């Protein structure tokens, strides 16, 4: 994806949350991004089996 498309996506998401008052989506999305980032970072490490047992 191009940077401009990513910015547009997040802009539309922010506008949706603001207009529709869906503030509860914010923490869920942040948590999903952090968990995905954690999985990517620990994929090749010794911590991977312990993290995968959480799911």
């Amino acid at each position: 994806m191009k940077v401009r498309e990513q910015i547009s996506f997040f802009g539309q998401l922010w506008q949706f949350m603001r207009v529709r008052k869906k503030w509860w989506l914010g923490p869920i999305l942040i948590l999903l991004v952090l968990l995905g980032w954690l999985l990517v970072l620990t994929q090749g490490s010794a911590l991977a089996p312990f993290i995968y047992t959480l799911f």
Side-chain angles (χ1 to χ4, degrees):
M1 289 179 74
K2 293 182 180 179
V3 175
R4 185 173 277 180
E5 292 174 0
Q6 289 177 347
I7 292 172
S8 174
F9 172 75
F10 290 116
Q12 288 179 6
L13 181 63
W14 173 251
Q15 185 178 10
F16 172 80
M17 288 172 50
R18 191 180 62 188
V19 169
R20 304 249 197 273
K21 306 287 193 259
K22 302 287 186 186
W23 300 114
W24 54 270
L25 285 173
I28 293 171
L29 292 174
I30 291 170
L31 182 68
L32 287 174
V33 168
L34 289 175
L35 285 174
W37 182 68
L38 179 69
L39 286 174
V40 168
L41 286 180
T42 61
Q43 185 175 5
S45 74
L47 293 175
F50 299 109
I51 292 174
Y52 290 129
T53 59
L54 295 175
F55 302 105

